[in-house]
Amino acid sequence: MTYDHLRQLLVLSLLFCIQTASIVQGAQDLERKASMLLREEPENPKCFAEGRKDFTCFWEEDEETTGSVDQYSFTYTYQNENSSKCPLRALHTADGKRLYVCHLNRTQMFVQMDIQVHRQGLLIHNRSLLIELVFLLNPPANVTVSNNGEQGQLRVSWVPPPLKYMDDSMMYEVSYAPADSQTEQVEVVRASSELILRGLQPGTQYSVRVRVKLDGISYNGYWSAWSDPVLTNTLPADLDPLIVSLSLIISLILIVLSLTVLLSHRSFLIKKIWPAIPNPESKFQGLFTVYGGDFQEWLGQTNGGLWLTPVFFYPEESPSPLEVLSELSLSPSLPSPQEEEGGLDEEKRLGQVDSALMGQWRGMPHDQWLMDQLQTLHRQPAPCSQSSLLESQDAYVTLNANNHSGDEHLDDILEETAPLEVLFASMRNVSSESHSDMGSLQQSSGSGRLSSESSFEYPNHTWPPKGHGYTYMVVADSGVSMDYSPMSSSRVDDIGKVVIYANEYKNEIPAHRRPLLTSIKAMFKSGDFGCSSFLSCLIQMNPEY
Amino acid sequence: MNTVHQEPMLDGGLFALLLIVLEWTRPGLPSPLRPICDLRVLNHFIKEARDAESAMRSCREGCSLSESVTVPQTRVDFDIWEKKNALDQAQEVQSGLWLLHQALSSLRASVTNTALHSHLDNSIRNLLSINAVLRSLNIQEYTPPASVVAGDETWQVSSATDLLQVYVNFLRGKVRLLLLDAQACHQDVS
């Protein structure tokens, strides 16, 4: 028995607790609504309906001036009906005021209601209203805000107040704002319980709340309180696919264009960036591949044959080194530097020079031909010299490459001890004295390309004699190029008087037989002279002889 | 042989023609969002009735009823209303509409203010439209009794403003509830 009693007590207490809680909650709601109505509704008493059947009216009185609740009477009258009274109860609010509340559980809508409040028989409040026009609902419940997968959008949904017949008469206001911002936007929704917010900032937290009101056509009322705010984040900013795709397409187009331009100007660019280094490989056969660039070795291997190969250097003409080797016989008439014999001597010397200068190629029998040429050219009765010349078997010219610039006395030259590099065209039986007595011709070449030392030697080292000026030209042959010094006079006084011509080497005769003469001819070729031969040129150049 | 082949064609053609004709002769209703049950039409009528009522309130002269008219009761007690069956509800609404029609016509005749004439004409037109809506919802039409009986659901008004107020309240209340509850567009309400 006691157990049952206890159980009943427990149940009762639970029920009591629940009711108290609901009453407390209801009281809290009432207080909240009352405070709101007190702000918004000017008329007294302030009345509102919460549902299809609930109806609440109240008015406020100060604690000091109020009486007891019994002093007041609340009378309401529907149109065409008898009046009724409503029991009042008093509520104490926080700010020292008293509320007198009338609550009805059954109401008639769509009909006018007249309310009168009397205090001790005196009418203090009077009001006529229609109940369906004074709705004050609870805020919407279960407000949910979610992402609907789109950028800058949020989907808000809620549960409308549970009022039958009034679902389609409800109007909602959705207020949303970034969580840290004060400016809020409001969207109005009619007869729907969800809304999609657009145009939101991506990646931001938004605070959303909803309130409800009846739309005012069939029913009307006051705006409900705001629902509790719901915080939700919008989707983070995403790359606009259109922009991404457009930028990709544009970059692709640019790449294709640049590649096309590069390929079309490929050769030009390669030349600019990677210029072609000239390679003399073709001219030096085997130099790089076989001898690894060792020029001396390559020279040795080839025996300098390439030097003499006419086609190698100057295809049109025969190789250049003037290796005129002629053994000048020790003819007494030759070295006498006398005036009257000057001409003859000169001729002889010239002839010597001529013969000397005429290079004889090694191993090539040019002597006879040379002599013939000399004979025809000279036509000088100088049998001795001629014979001597003819007898000479070797005509050689050694070109002195000691860089004597300026006019040096020839006797110095004669006694010179400069190293000589003698290029022999052919070795003949010539007394060494005559060889050694060869004077050397001053070389006044300004060329620096002379690689071989050579000297021009005259027999008996007395020629050219002093006091005689001879125009001479030094041919310097380096093996690669021939350098012809400007013709200069051996006589000091003649310098400046004698017109010296420096002739550029020209060779236009590719004939094998004529290289010697051709080279010399070309050497002394001068149109102004009008000379047709070497000797004649020489003679002309030295008019005093 | 030719006729055998052509008969199905003819039948099909006739059927199509019949459909077209039926579609034409269907009672003209504004296309609602929800089939037939869109209450925006009624809302429009209610707004216009409210405009007429406010116009009547501001009228000073030439806007009075010559005689008292019978108007339906507009009060709605939801407990009572829900206990009524659909037929009774329909009957109540249809009779009320009929009464209002009579009253508005009488008012229209007695009002001399030209500004109110348009309002009243509009209201009468709207009443007829509501009848059409109810007809579309398969709500039976009201056949007026031979003699007007003052029942619980009627009362007498002698003021034009009261009449129009009744008219507005009736539309907002009972008519709307009936349309909402119509079985043709029955909705699962809580």
Side-chain angles (χ1 to χ4, degrees):
Chain A
M1 288 294 281
T2 53
Y3 182 68
D4 289 333
H5 281 298
L6 278 172
R7 207 172 54 182
Q8 284 170 10
L9 262 172
L10 190 66
V11 167
L12 280 169
S13 60
L14 272 171
L15 282 169
F16 183 73
C17 284
I18 290 163
Q19 274 197 346
T20 325
S22 62
I23 286 163
V24 167
Q25 182 69 30
Q28 283 178 349
D29 291 339
L30 176 64
E31 273 204 41
R32 217 179 302 140
K33 288 182 179 177
S35 58
M36 204 192 73
L37 270 179
L38 285 166
R39 285 194 300 268
E40 291 188 17
E41 181 61 54
E43 290 191 42
N44 270 323
K46 306 187 196 307
C47 301
F48 62 90
E50 287 172 294
R52 293 186 301 151
K53 297 163 193 179
D54 299 333
F55 183 68
T56 310
C57 278
F58 68 94
W59 71 94
E60 197 182 40
E61 294 249 354
D62 290 329
E63 284 283 358
E64 297 84 19
T65 56
T66 191
S68 69
V69 71
D70 302 327
Q71 297 173 0
Y72 298 94
S73 67
F74 186 94
T75 315
Y76 63 94
T77 313
Y78 287 112
Q79 199 169 27
N80 299 335
E81 282 189 22
N82 298 329
S83 59
S84 307
K85 271 190 186 248
C86 172
L88 288 168
R89 61 190 172 95
L91 278 177
H92 300 269
T93 56
D95 48 348
K97 297 283 179 78
R98 195 185 286 193
L99 293 176
Y100 292 99
V101 182
C102 159
H103 187 80
L104 295 175
N105 284 326
R106 284 187 71 167
T107 57
Q108 290 184 15
M109 294 195 179
F110 306 106
V111 69
Q112 191 170 313
M113 180 199 237
D114 297 320
I115 296 167
Q116 288 174 342
V117 178
H118 291 92
R119 182 183 176 182
Q120 291 169 333
L122 287 173
L123 185 69
I124 54 170
H125 298 303
N126 189 7
R127 190 178 171 186
S128 281
L129 54 84
L130 285 103
I131 296 173
E132 75 277 3
L133 301 180
V134 288
F135 273 102
L136 179 57
L137 303 170
N138 289 326
N142 288 353
V143 178
T144 55
V145 184
S146 59
N147 277 303
N148 64 346
E150 301 270 339
Q151 274 289 315
Q153 287 187 8
L154 282 175
R155 186 172 167 272
V156 187
S157 69
W158 56 87
V159 174
L163 284 177
K164 205 174 172 182
Y165 307 121
M166 300 175 197
D167 290 342
D168 54 345
S169 301
M170 291 195 187
M171 186 167 71
Y172 305 93
E173 250 188 16
V174 178
S175 156
Y176 59 98
D180 52 354
S181 166
Q182 293 303 315
T183 56
E184 62 175 22
Q185 289 171 283
V186 165
E187 290 260 352
V188 175
V189 183
R190 283 176 186 266
S192 172
S193 62
E194 71 174 24
L195 174 71
I196 293 176
L197 299 171
R198 298 172 206 273
L200 303 178
Q201 299 167 22
T204 325
Q205 192 182 48
Y206 273 88
S207 165
V208 182
R209 47 185 194 162
V210 188
R211 65 178 182 177
V212 67
K213 175 182 175 293
L214 288 164
D215 61 358
I217 300 170
S218 272
Y219 306 94
N220 210 343
Y222 309 96
W223 277 110
S224 72
W226 286 107
S227 64
D228 293 330
V230 176
L231 298 170
T232 315
N233 285 315
T234 51
L235 287 174
D238 199 10
L239 280 175
D240 192 4
L242 181 67
I243 290 170
V244 169
S245 58
L246 277 175
S247 57
L248 275 174
I249 287 165
I250 286 167
S251 58
L252 271 170
I253 289 167
L254 283 173
I255 287 166
V256 166
L257 278 173
S258 58
L259 275 173
T260 313
V261 167
L262 278 170
L263 286 171
S264 62
H265 294 90
R266 183 178 54 230
S267 56
F268 173 75
L269 283 170
I270 285 170
K271 270 191 228 167
K272 282 285 175 188
I273 297 164
W274 201 268
I277 302 167
N279 195 354
E281 177 79 35
S282 57
K283 300 288 184 188
F284 298 89
Q285 290 165 9
L287 171 60
F288 295 108
T289 53
V290 180
Y291 300 100
D294 194 342
F295 197 63
Q296 288 213 348
E297 249 191 60
W298 176 79
L299 272 181
Q301 290 299 318
T302 57
N303 287 326
L306 290 169
W307 287 81
L308 305 174
T309 309
V311 217
F312 194 80
F313 291 109
Y314 303 101
E316 318 88 44
E317 49 98 20
S318 51
S320 53
L322 283 176
E323 296 176 13
V324 180
L325 297 176
S326 64
E327 195 170 323
L328 300 171
S329 61
L330 294 170
S331 170
S333 61
L334 283 171
S336 58
Q338 292 176 13
E339 286 283 327
E340 56 272 17
E341 295 176 357
L344 280 172
D345 289 344
E346 180 58 30
E347 288 165 6
K348 291 173 203 168
R349 285 181 220 108
L350 289 172
Q352 286 177 16
V353 169
D354 193 11
S355 63
L357 284 175
M358 287 189 184
Q360 179 178 1
W361 304 119
R362 192 182 296 171
M364 293 189 182
H366 281 228
D367 283 358
Q368 188 56 45
W369 171 75
L370 184 66
M371 293 311 128
D372 293 340
Q373 290 294 320
L374 280 169
Q375 277 177 353
T376 53
L377 286 170
H378 290 234
R379 293 181 188 167
Q380 294 289 337
C384 301
S385 58
Q386 292 290 331
S387 61
S388 66
L389 281 170
L390 285 169
E391 283 172 352
S392 65
Q393 295 169 1
D394 289 314
Y396 65 90
V397 168
T398 58
L399 304 172
N400 191 1
N402 51 353
N403 296 316
H404 288 298
S405 59
D407 289 354
E408 192 179 352
H409 288 291
L410 290 165
D411 43 356
D412 294 333
I413 295 167
L414 293 170
E415 295 166 359
E416 67 170 314
T417 54
L420 301 172
E421 184 179 341
V422 179
L423 302 172
F424 288 96
S426 63
M427 295 300 295
R428 299 296 174 92
N429 290 329
V430 180
S431 61
S432 58
E433 297 168 26
S434 60
H435 288 285
S436 59
D437 287 340
M438 288 278 187
S440 60
L441 197 65
Q442 178 186 355
Q443 174 198 337
S444 61
S445 166
S447 163
R449 288 192 286 169
L450 197 63
S451 62
S452 61
E453 291 172 336
S454 51
S455 66
F456 190 87
E457 286 190 13
Y458 285 86
N460 299 330
H461 60 266
T462 51
W463 193 90
K466 290 183 191 174
H468 289 276
Y470 295 98
T471 307
Y472 56 87
M473 178 188 279
V474 175
V475 179
D477 179 32
S478 64
V480 179
S481 65
M482 288 189 76
D483 188 57
Y484 300 92
S485 67
M487 288 197 283
S488 56
S489 175
S490 63
R491 199 155 105 173
V492 180
D493 356 331
D494 279 343
I495 291 166
K497 293 180 190 173
V498 177
V499 180
I500 296 164
Y501 285 83
N503 293 311
E504 199 179 319
Y505 180 83
K506 285 181 200 171
N507 187 9
E508 66 268 15
I509 305 167
H512 183 68
R513 254 197 168 258
R514 292 203 269 172
L516 227 56
L517 188 60
T518 313
S519 61
I520 295 162
K521 259 193 181 174
M523 186 167 62
F524 290 93
K525 187 174 176 184
S526 169
D528 294 334
F529 278 132
C531 51
S532 58
S533 71
F534 158 71
L535 267 177
S536 56
C537 284
L538 263 180
I539 293 163
Q540 282 180 29
M541 279 183 274
N542 298 284
E544 58 190 281
Y545 297 105
Chain B
M1 294 298 283
N2 284 339
T3 52
V4 172
H5 285 297
Q6 278 172 9
E7 271 174 18
M9 284 283 290
L10 272 173
D11 283 345
L14 277 174
F15 184 66
L17 188 62
L18 190 66
L19 277 176
I20 291 164
V21 168
L22 283 174
E23 195 64 32
W24 273 351
T25 54
R26 199 159 60 114
L29 278 178
S31 58
L33 281 176
R34 295 170 226 166
I36 313 170
C37 302
D38 195 358
L39 290 173
R40 286 186 289 182
V41 173
L42 185 61
N43 291 342
H44 181 68
F45 297 156
I46 292 166
K47 284 177 193 169
E48 288 188 340
R50 282 217 302 250
D51 294 340
E53 187 197 349
S54 62
M56 188 62 72
R57 255 190 248 274
S58 60
C59 170
R60 297 283 174 253
E61 289 183 1
C63 44
S64 59
L65 266 172
S66 57
E67 57 181 5
S68 64
V69 288
T70 310
V71 289
Q73 287 278 6
T74 58
R75 61 167 178 250
V76 172
D77 190 332
F78 279 105
D79 290 336
I80 298 167
W81 177 263
E82 282 168 355
K83 286 191 180 92
K84 287 182 185 175
N85 58 13
L87 276 172
D88 292 337
Q89 290 173 355
Q91 182 74 15
E92 214 172 304
V93 169
Q94 292 277 37
S95 61
L97 285 172
W98 185 83
L99 285 167
L100 280 170
H101 185 266
Q102 303 300 314
L104 283 172
S105 306
S106 170
L107 179 62
R108 170 68 176 85
S110 58
V111 160
T112 54
N113 195 329
T114 51
L116 287 171
H117 283 171
S118 61
H119 281 104
L120 289 172
D121 291 336
N122 217 12
S123 300
I124 292 164
R125 245 195 328 271
N126 292 343
L127 274 173
L128 295 171
S129 300
I130 290 164
N131 282 330
V133 170
L134 290 174
R135 265 202 307 278
S136 72
L137 295 175
N138 297 323
I139 292 165
Q140 63 180 48
E141 291 217 25
Y142 173 74
T143 52
S147 61
V148 177
V149 178
D152 291 333
E153 299 299 323
T154 60
W155 58 304
Q156 299 286 325
V157 291
S158 54
S159 142
T161 50
D162 287 344
L163 171 58
L164 284 175
Q165 195 178 19
V166 164
Y167 170 56
V168 169
N169 291 339
F170 192 74
L171 287 182
R172 289 190 305 136
K174 287 184 179 177
V175 175
R176 187 187 177 87
L177 286 169
L178 184 69
L179 288 176
L180 274 172
D181 254 350
Q183 283 183 356
C185 40
H186 181 73
Q187 294 166 14
D188 195 7
V189 290
S190 58

